[in-house]
Amino acid sequence: MGCKEEENFSGFCSEAEETLKIFGRLLKQCRIEDAIRLCKEFLEERKGCPIVSAELGQLLENLGRFDEAEKIYLEWLKTYDEDYEAHLAYARLLAKLERYGEARQAYIEALDRAKTLMTQKQLHPKTVENIAIELENLPKPVKKGQQTLDLYT
């Protein structure tokens, strides 16, 4: 049985919990590649499991392995499109990569899903506010030639 069938509200399942305990131990032992391999193998069988995807994606980002992190986030989104945290993780990665147009869209998706959860009283309004602030703080798109003009004004 995969994560999706037995997950609770947070996307956490018993199989993921055990995997993440081992993941943590491997990281403490500086066995980073083993930790990554463990999570990737877990996700091969349990596509997009939220909590494992989040942890692995963040680790890969921290290591500067952005292409791999993006693949993890996209699989998470494919499996759990309604998960605002998946859209938010992806938006943050895109912003880090200065892909602001794509990041803006991912933030909007995260915000829409977070607002839905807030109206259902499953998410604190402050979380929605924080996502909106991150979206607002994204650099605005620059029109071709505008950057040069800005240097002289």
Side-chain angles (χ1 to χ4, degrees):
M1 179 178 295
C3 251
K4 199 165 192 173
E5 291 83 13
E6 62 177 276
E7 71 184 13
N8 62 23
F9 175 72
S10 68
F12 207 73
C13 67
S14 58
E15 293 173 348
E17 182 177 12
E18 187 57 35
T19 297
L20 290 176
K21 283 180 186 176
I22 298 167
F23 175 77
R25 284 195 298 264
L26 290 170
L27 290 178
K28 283 180 185 174
Q29 297 168 2
C30 295
R31 294 173 54 196
I32 294 169
E33 290 306 318
D34 289 336
I36 291 169
R37 189 171 24 265
L38 171 77
C39 287
K40 284 183 175 182
E41 288 171 2
F42 180 89
L43 290 172
E44 281 177 21
E45 293 181 23
R46 296 155 200 88
K47 299 284 184 205
C49 183
I51 193 72
V52 176
S53 296
E55 291 294 324
L56 178 57
Q58 189 61 59
L59 174 63
L60 291 167
E61 275 190 66
N62 291 342
L63 294 170
R65 292 163 64 171
F66 302 119
D67 289 345
E68 290 176 76
E70 184 170 13
K71 287 177 187 171
I72 296 298
Y73 293 149
L74 288 172
E75 187 64 41
W76 182 9
L77 285 166
K78 193 165 100 178
T79 310
Y80 291 88
D81 183 61
E82 292 305 310
D83 188 344
Y84 85 92
E85 290 178 291
H87 289 277
L88 186 56
Y90 189 49
R92 288 173 174 158
L93 171 66
L94 292 169
K96 188 181 287 184
L97 297 174
E98 298 180 359
R99 290 165 51 189
Y100 298 122
E102 294 170 85
R104 186 171 310 286
Q105 186 57 44
Y107 271 112
I108 290 168
E109 296 289 338
L111 192 56
D112 287 346
R113 283 151 181 80
K115 284 179 181 176
T116 299
L117 290 174
M118 184 186 73
T119 60
Q120 297 169 352
K121 308 266 190 251
Q122 296 179 12
L123 192 64
H124 195 278
K126 187 70 176 168
T127 302
V128 174
E129 182 182 328
N130 290 339
I131 296 169
I133 290 169
E134 284 186 46
L135 173 59
E136 188 176 303
N137 289 333
L138 268 183
K140 304 293 184 244
V142 177
K143 292 179 185 168
K144 197 171 191 168
Q146 186 67 41
Q147 205 169 24
T148 306
L149 287 175
D150 290 344
L151 292 173
Y152 297 103
T153 56

